[in-house]
């Protein structure tokens, strides 16, 4: 989320500033990178139920994902609607 905001990417609103309380940083993580991030927490799971665009198996809150060398080449898609 912070990388997207810093790069000025439209579609990542992040109203709550990364507190997992708004779901406006919803993204879809492409395979095989999805399996390289930690599992979805209960808090993130609850927020993903309230996204504007449909939740899929690829859905994550970008504010809960820490990028490392393990996800080099990461591809994510943005929802058509975010707010
Ligand atoms: S920035 Fe609000 S849930 Fe991620």
């Amino acid at each position: 989320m912070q990388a997207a905001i810093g790069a000025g990417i439209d579609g990542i609103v992040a109203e709550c500033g990364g507190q997992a309380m708004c779901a406006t940083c919803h993204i879809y993580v492409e395979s095989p990178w999805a399996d390289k991030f930690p599992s979805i927490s209960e808090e993130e799971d609850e927020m993903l139920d309230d996204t504007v665009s449909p939740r899929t198996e690829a859905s994550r809150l970008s504010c809960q994902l820490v990028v490392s060398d393990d996800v080099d080449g990461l591809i994510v898609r943005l929802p058509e609607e975010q707010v």
Side-chain angles (χ1 to χ4, degrees), residues 2-78:
Q2 291 177 336
I5 296 289
I9 294 175
D10 290 336
I12 300 293
V13 180
E15 287 178 346
C16 75
Q19 301 301 309
M21 296 175 64
C22 72
T24 61
C25 66
H26 179 205
I27 60 171
Y28 300 112
V29 179
E30 295 284 332
S31 181
W33 296 279
D35 294 337
K36 299 185 179 199
F37 288 106
S39 300
I40 296 173
S41 68
E42 184 176 334
E43 183 178 50
E44 181 179 359
D45 188 49
E46 289 176 10
M47 286 311 304
L48 284 171
D49 285 339
D50 291 327
T51 56
V52 173
S53 293
R55 179 179 182 171
T56 72
E57 290 186 5
S59 290
R60 294 299 302 258
L61 297 180
S62 59
C63 69
Q64 301 302 298
L65 303 179
V66 176
V67 177
S68 70
D69 289 343
D70 291 343
V71 293
D72 185 37
L74 173 67
I75 296 174
V76 302
R77 292 181 298 112
L78 300 178

